[in-house]
Amino acid sequence: MTTDTFSPADRSSLPWLRGAMFGVLSFVLTLFCLELIKVSIQISSLWLPTALMTLLVFHYPPRRLPGLLGGCMVGIIAANALMVGTAVVVLTFPLINLLQALLGGALLRRLLDREAPLDSLLGWSKMVVSVGIFTPLLGALLACWSLNFTGRANFHFFTTWAVSETIGMLAIGPVCLLWRPEELRKSLSQHALVETLLTLIVTLALSYCALRYLPWSFTFVMVVLFYSAVRLPRLSAFIVFFATLLMMSLLLALNQLVQYTNAVTIVNSAPWLPFLLAIIPSHIMAQVMHSFREEKKHISQSEARFRHAMEYSVIGMALVSPEGRFLQVNQSLCRLLGYAQSELVTMTFQMLTHPDDLAVDESKFHELLAGEIETYSHEKRYLRKDGGIVWALLATSLVRDSEQRPLYFISQIEDISDLKQTEAANRRLMQRITLANEAGGIGVWDLSLKTGKMNWDKRMFQLYGLKEEGQATYLTWVNSLLPADRQMAIDAFDKGIKESLPVDIVFRIATDDGIRFIHSQSTLVFGDDGNVERMLGINQDVTAMRQLTDALYQEKERMHITLDAIGEAVISTDEEMRVTFMNPVAEVMSGWTQEEAAGKRLSDLLRITHGSDGPEMENLLLCGLPHSKSVPELAEELVLHTRSGDCFDIHYSITPLKTLEGGYIGSVMVIQDVSESREMMRRLSYGASHDMLTRLPNRVSFEQRLKQLLHSASQQQRQHALIFIDLDRFKAVNDSAGHAAGDALLREISGQMKQHLRSGDFLARLGGDEFGVLLPDCALGEARDIAECLVVAVNHYPFLWEGQLHRIGASAGITQLSKDNAHASDVMAQADLACYNAKHNGRGQFSIYEAKLIDTLKPVLSQRENEQILPQQLSSQGNNSSPLR
């Protein structure tokens, strides 16, 4: 992991921007140090650029160093050029600084933890030795070697170079190493920042006064810096140290330090020595105080964790004195025993222990006190305040002081009452399982795959017809199998073992009582190492069930064959009217296969209507289970529409299915295809009510319709009209052209007349060449117009037969149907008489019935032999012709 230098915001900056930033910083630091040299006219006792580059090498990954170090070198060279000019040292000294920084950064990478470089005093010592002593000495040697070519190097130059590099590293090194987010948070908190600023101001002021006016001033400065080391966070303290060193350097360069007596000439001759005397103890003190704070923090955290673990633990915890008295208890233990904390601390564990468990508990307690055991754990019973008993798992250890004297016991008390109840329930469950196995005839077996040993319970011996005191082996089981099932059973168990799968098979065995069917189920048991150790299974005699299953299967097969062979559609449903079975006929008639229809509601599959175009059948039996056999009326013309759009005329029945107890479990619907019989009935009905030549209603249908109109005229005061039409010259065409021509003429004339009638009018052939027309809700005037149209249409109709044109005519008689004229025999006679009047007056016309026609036509009628007729007798004549003609 790499740690970028100084600021998180620096990570998102562009590489050239970071290099420029550190170049400017190097220029400022170099210029400051060179100004000190210029003022004091000697090599500075403080050199910071090398320390900055060293820490850049430590913090940043190698791929970023060229840009960063390049910027620093440009800043250092620029500052040297500005202060010194174009001398050779402008380039040689910065290069030596760069080599020293690369070596120092590499050493720091090897020696320090990148995440916590100054975690202890040892880490600070590694920094001092590596980049505070070793690399400065090496840099000084290189600098002297470079100056040997000019003959200017001396020991004073060597020591000054090395000491200035050392002091520079001690000044700025810890600040850069600790410039991390967690350290910044400690130093930049509101309280710490204010205290740091005040301490910095006071320290600089006191240090200035001491350095200017007090004897042994560096000792006083060291005392002031100790306060910062003790009081401030570590990063803040090192910042104060750095600022103080800068001020001391300025005072030294300006020769403002107090001069010592001749007795301390070494201090006057080596002014950098007080720097070290002031800074090194302060650094050590800061590191020691940091370690002290961290240790105190660790102890506080440990105490807090222990306190929280005890107070908020879900299990009971207690501190117990060597005498057995409770010193401290948590809330979980109080809830477990039902006592308050103030009550428990006045009691001993012996007072709360069940009498039956007290001896064992005290024995373990004394063994722990004597040092015979380190800890103990066992199950025991406690007495609750409410008189109840609670099972608990007690784990106890002893804490001793440095002289091995016992201080207190730490006890963990976990409630296991539920576990004990579960164990008791499991024992009862195992008893019930054993009883159930014996009652159900289930045998249990166990096969060890390592030893090959097989264990059978007594029920297994009974199933296989063996003596219970006998020994069962794998071969015992194999030899009992029928030869036809032996290999199948062996392969099934081998496959289960190899593939770690459960086995569920049925095989046959030979016993003294005959062949038995055995249902065997088994599973594998794995050891702690994950390998299969044994196979555990059960055997059950299913002979009776197998025989019953075979009988049911045979019965089911017979039923299916029967249902497939019959001609009706059969559909079975469950109690929710969902399809469970369909025979082939039902599949054809519904358009659904059994697989598609399975599980669907009957009402979703069958669409039944009243007639082919009528409304759908609203029958709740298609949606709910009937409680008795349901059969629709035979008169209902029900039509089943298939999925593909075909239709069947049907008759159906739905019969509920019941259990022995009378409960409903479904229903059976039987659908019969009655399309042919219903079509035959339609044809018979049509033939009885229609004229087969003209396809018009016949005389019977006409009289039924007439009665309906007469009833509405009488009961509802509605007016209708009746027209009686007789063809003229039809017999001539029939005789001359033949009966085929006469039949064709009747068909064509029928079609012509229908074209001139209203949609609700009723045209019928009464017989021969006679027709009747009923005009519902028609006034006499409108009936007259219709009759005129009919007569004209017939008179002008050209009938062409075999190239010869024939013309006929028609005569018509009209009578009104009203409440005063509501007898069928009367109105038929009246219309016939009116028609006769039209023929008498010249044919090819119509006539309206009037009462005076009887008197007018009486002389004419009397001249016709055997044709006397009274009006009231007209309706009783034959169907084929009128007696008037």
Side-chain angles (χ1 to χ4, degrees):
M1 181 181 294
T2 60
T3 305
D4 291 353
T5 309
F6 307 132
S7 174
D10 182 53
R11 299 181 184 181
S12 59
S13 305
L14 296 175
W16 64 268
L17 185 59
R18 289 197 296 270
M21 179 186 69
F22 285 112
V24 172
L25 182 59
S26 299
F27 176 81
V28 172
L29 293 178
T30 305
L31 197 63
F32 173 77
C33 295
L34 291 176
E35 283 290 344
L36 293 179
I37 297 173
K38 182 179 179 181
V39 171
S40 61
I41 317 176
Q42 60 181 340
I43 294 180
S44 173
S45 60
L46 178 67
W47 187 255
L48 299 174
T50 305
L52 177 63
M53 290 192 295
T54 301
L55 296 170
L56 288 179
V57 174
F58 171 75
H59 278 292
Y60 281 93
R63 67 178 183 278
R64 297 188 181 181
L65 291 179
L68 300 177
L69 296 180
C72 292
M73 289 296 292
V74 171
I76 296 172
I77 293 173
N80 275 285
L82 181 64
M83 297 296 296
V84 179
T86 59
V88 177
V89 294
V90 172
L91 293 178
T92 56
F93 285 177
L95 289 176
I96 295 173
N97 294 152
L98 177 60
L99 293 175
Q100 183 179 334
L102 291 173
L103 177 60
L107 289 174
L108 290 180
R109 280 175 173 266
R110 294 282 296 177
L111 297 175
L112 300 183
D113 183 2
R114 303 288 300 282
E115 296 300 322
L118 296 181
D119 57 337
S120 64
L121 188 60
L122 178 61
W124 178 85
S125 301
K126 291 179 180 179
M127 180 200 72
V128 172
V129 172
S130 60
V131 296
I133 297 177
F134 178 72
T135 55
L137 292 176
L138 182 62
L141 289 174
L142 291 175
C144 291
W145 177 77
S146 66
L147 289 180
N148 282 335
F149 295 101
T150 60
R152 291 182 296 174
N154 53 45
F155 181 74
H156 178 70
F157 176 83
F158 174 83
T159 56
T160 305
W161 178 290
V163 171
S164 63
E165 292 281 7
T166 299
I167 296 176
M169 179 58 67
L170 292 176
I172 199 174
V175 175
C176 294
L177 288 175
L178 294 176
W179 197 270
R180 306 172 62 80
E182 57 273 14
E183 295 288 345
L184 287 173
R185 280 194 297 270
K186 296 177 184 178
S187 301
L188 296 180
S189 63
Q190 183 175 2
H191 175 72
L193 182 61
V194 173
E195 185 177 9
T196 299
L197 292 176
L198 290 176
T199 303
L200 176 62
I201 295 171
V202 172
T203 300
L204 292 177
L206 293 177
S207 298
Y208 176 80
C209 294
L211 292 171
R212 288 280 292 149
Y213 307 111
L214 296 179
W216 303 102
S217 56
F218 288 101
T219 303
F220 185 81
V221 170
M222 183 173 61
V223 173
V224 174
L225 294 181
F226 274 8
Y227 173 83
S228 299
V230 172
R231 184 67 183 174
L232 298 179
R234 188 169 51 160
L235 177 60
S236 300
F238 280 116
I239 292 175
V240 172
F241 300 162
F242 176 61
T244 304
L245 274 176
L246 293 181
M247 185 192 70
M248 292 170 63
S249 300
L250 285 173
L251 292 178
L252 178 63
L254 296 174
N255 200 20
Q256 296 295 312
L257 296 179
V258 63
Q259 295 295 318
Y260 296 97
T261 61
N262 293 333
V264 287
T265 54
I266 187 172
V267 177
N268 293 323
S269 61
W272 45 265
L273 183 60
F275 282 66
L276 297 178
L277 293 176
I279 197 67
I280 292 177
S282 301
H283 277 210
I284 295 174
M285 179 60 70
Q287 286 295 120
V288 170
M289 290 305 301
H290 172 72
S291 300
F292 174 75
R293 292 190 192 102
E294 290 297 315
E295 183 65 23
K296 183 179 180 181
K297 177 181 176 183
H298 177 72
I299 293 174
S300 299
Q301 290 176 348
S302 298
E303 291 178 349
R305 283 194 297 268
F306 177 77
R307 183 170 57 254
H308 281 78
M310 183 167 181
E311 290 297 328
Y312 303 110
S313 175
V314 295
I315 64 174
M317 295 188 68
L319 301 183
V320 183
S321 71
E323 295 75 29
R325 184 173 57 84
F326 288 107
L327 301 176
Q328 185 178 349
V329 295
N330 66 352
Q331 291 295 331
S332 296
L333 184 59
C334 293
R335 288 191 296 269
L336 178 64
L337 300 179
Y339 289 93
Q341 286 184 340
S342 58
E343 294 174 317
L344 281 178
V345 295
T346 64
M347 305 174 70
T348 64
F349 76 89
Q350 292 91 340
M351 299 168 60
L352 299 175
T353 303
H354 193 277
D356 295 341
D357 299 333
L358 184 58
V360 176
D361 203 7
E362 287 187 331
S363 173
K364 294 289 186 181
F365 186 81
H366 292 302
E367 288 179 12
L368 194 58
L369 276 176
E372 297 176 6
I373 56 176
E374 296 291 334
T375 181
Y376 71 88
S377 174
H378 71 106
E379 297 177 357
K380 61 176 289 188
R381 286 164 289 182
Y382 283 93
L383 302 177
R384 287 178 50 85
K385 183 178 181 180
D386 57 10
I389 297 176
V390 58
W391 274 98
L393 177 62
L394 172 66
T396 303
S397 59
L398 178 61
V399 178
R400 301 177 183 270
D401 61 13
S402 58
E403 298 179 1
Q404 295 301 307
R405 290 177 297 186
L407 295 177
Y408 54 84
F409 294 91
I410 299 178
S411 297
Q412 296 180 348
I413 306 166
E414 182 179 2
D415 185 1
I416 59 171
S417 298
D418 293 339
L419 178 60
K420 285 294 184 179
Q421 294 175 0
T422 303
E423 290 177 353
N426 288 337
R427 286 194 297 270
R428 292 192 296 269
L429 179 60
M430 289 303 300
Q431 293 172 355
R432 289 195 292 269
I433 292 174
T434 303
L435 181 61
N437 287 342
E438 294 178 354
I442 299 176
V444 181
W445 57 269
D446 185 358
L447 173 63
S448 174
L449 300 181
K450 293 182 178 180
T451 63
K453 184 178 180 181
M454 177 175 279
N455 295 320
W456 285 10
D457 67 354
K458 64 178 183 179
R459 183 57 188 168
M460 283 289 293
F461 286 99
Q462 295 173 4
L463 288 177
Y464 283 77
L466 301 175
K467 295 180 180 180
E468 294 184 15
E469 61 273 10
Q471 181 66 37
T473 64
Y474 180 75
L475 290 178
T476 304
W477 172 73
V478 171
N479 294 331
S480 67
L481 297 170
L482 282 187
D485 296 348
R486 183 170 298 156
Q487 192 60 45
M488 176 272 296
I490 293 174
D491 292 343
F493 281 98
D494 288 345
K495 181 179 179 182
I497 295 172
K498 291 178 181 178
E499 300 181 5
S500 299
L501 296 174
V503 180
D504 188 343
I505 62 171
V506 176
F507 50 79
R508 293 169 293 175
I509 63 174
T511 67
D512 295 338
D513 298 329
I515 296 176
R516 314 298 295 174
F517 286 87
I518 300 297
H519 182 198
S520 179
Q521 294 176 290
S522 65
T523 187
L524 297 175
V525 179
F526 294 86
D528 296 336
D529 56 359
N531 296 323
V532 179
E533 287 187 348
R534 56 197 180 95
M535 178 176 281
L536 181 64
I538 61 172
N539 280 5
Q540 185 178 13
D541 187 353
V542 294
T543 304
M545 184 180 298
R546 187 58 180 262
Q547 292 173 349
L548 179 60
T549 302
D550 291 343
L552 289 176
Y553 179 79
Q554 294 173 10
E555 189 66 27
K556 182 180 178 181
E557 283 296 302
R558 284 193 291 268
M559 182 191 70
H560 275 279
I561 292 173
T562 302
L563 292 177
D564 290 347
I566 64 176
E568 286 84 8
V570 179
I571 303 176
S572 297
T573 69
D574 58 15
E575 61 273 15
E576 295 182 357
M577 298 302 286
R578 298 183 184 276
V579 174
T580 58
F581 170 77
M582 297 175 70
N583 69 346
V585 178
E587 292 180 340
V588 173
M589 294 184 67
S590 66
W592 294 82
T593 64
Q594 180 169 333
E595 290 76 12
E596 295 173 328
K600 291 184 171 59
R601 286 188 174 273
L602 196 61
S603 56
D604 296 335
L605 302 180
L606 303 181
R607 179 172 171 258
I608 300 176
T609 61
H610 295 275
S612 58
D613 298 324
E616 288 195 23
M617 181 179 184
E618 296 180 359
N619 192 335
L620 294 179
L621 294 179
L622 294 178
C623 302
L625 185 66
H627 298 296
S628 60
K629 186 173 182 179
S630 175
V631 182
E633 294 289 339
L634 286 172
E636 292 187 66
E637 293 191 359
L638 301 179
V639 177
L640 172 63
H641 298 263
T642 68
R643 189 180 182 184
S644 60
D646 296 332
C647 298
F648 291 94
D649 292 325
I650 65 165
H651 180 71
Y652 74 89
S653 65
I654 299 181
T655 305
L657 298 176
K658 299 181 181 180
T659 62
L660 291 175
E661 293 78 15
Y664 295 97
I665 58 174
S667 64
V668 175
M669 182 178 189
V670 179
I671 305 174
Q672 296 175 323
D673 183 1
V674 296
S675 300
E676 293 184 2
S677 59
R678 193 167 289 171
E679 179 63 25
M680 184 177 296
M681 292 297 294
R682 291 193 190 100
R683 291 179 182 178
L684 292 174
S685 176
Y686 186 86
S689 61
H690 285 74
D691 174 54
M692 301 309 295
L693 176 63
T694 61
R695 301 296 179 182
L696 294 177
N698 59 13
R699 190 179 189 91
V700 174
S701 297
F702 182 83
E703 290 176 350
Q704 291 176 352
R705 180 61 175 159
L706 176 60
K707 288 179 181 180
Q708 295 173 0
L709 293 181
L710 289 174
H711 179 77
S712 65
S714 174
Q715 299 297 324
Q716 303 175 13
Q717 289 79 45
R718 296 166 62 183
Q719 291 186 350
H720 314 293
L722 186 152
I723 304 175
F724 187 86
I725 301 173
D726 187 18
L727 300 182
D728 300 328
R729 297 183 295 277
F730 173 73
K731 187 175 183 305
V733 175
N734 203 31
D735 294 342
S736 63
H739 292 288
D743 293 344
L745 176 59
L746 290 174
R747 285 194 293 269
E748 293 180 13
I749 290 300
S750 298
Q752 284 295 314
M753 287 192 291
K754 284 194 292 186
Q755 294 178 7
H756 294 81
L757 296 177
R758 301 173 305 174
S759 60
D761 295 341
F762 189 83
L763 174 64
R765 183 188 177 198
L766 303 181
D769 58 352
E770 297 175 352
F771 297 88
V773 182
L774 294 174
L775 305 175
D777 299 313
C778 184
L780 191 59
E782 187 178 1
R784 175 177 178 151
D785 294 338
I786 294 174
E788 183 178 3
C789 291
L790 294 174
V791 170
V792 172
V794 175
N795 290 342
H796 291 83
Y797 182 72
F799 176 64
L800 187 65
W801 182 261
E802 293 181 352
Q804 184 176 359
L805 182 63
H806 301 274
R807 289 190 178 274
I808 62 171
S811 300
I814 307 172
T815 186
Q816 184 75 46
L817 308 181
S818 64
K819 65 179 181 177
D820 300 325
N821 191 20
H823 297 283
S825 59
D826 291 345
V827 296
M828 288 291 291
Q830 291 169 7
D832 195 9
L833 185 60
C835 180
Y836 186 82
N837 182 54
K839 281 183 174 290
H840 180 72
N841 291 333
R843 301 178 184 271
Q845 56 185 305
F846 65 91
S847 173
I848 299 175
Y849 170 78
E850 296 177 354
K852 64 181 181 179
L853 287 181
I854 298 176
D855 297 332
T856 303
L857 295 177
K858 189 174 182 180
V860 178
L861 294 173
S862 63
Q863 295 178 4
R864 300 174 62 94
E865 295 182 2
N866 301 322
E867 290 185 353
Q868 293 182 355
I869 184 172
L870 295 176
Q872 64 271 21
Q873 297 173 325
L874 292 176
S875 63
S876 63
Q877 303 302 316
N879 293 334
N880 295 329
S881 61
S882 172
L884 295 177
R885 294 176 298 283

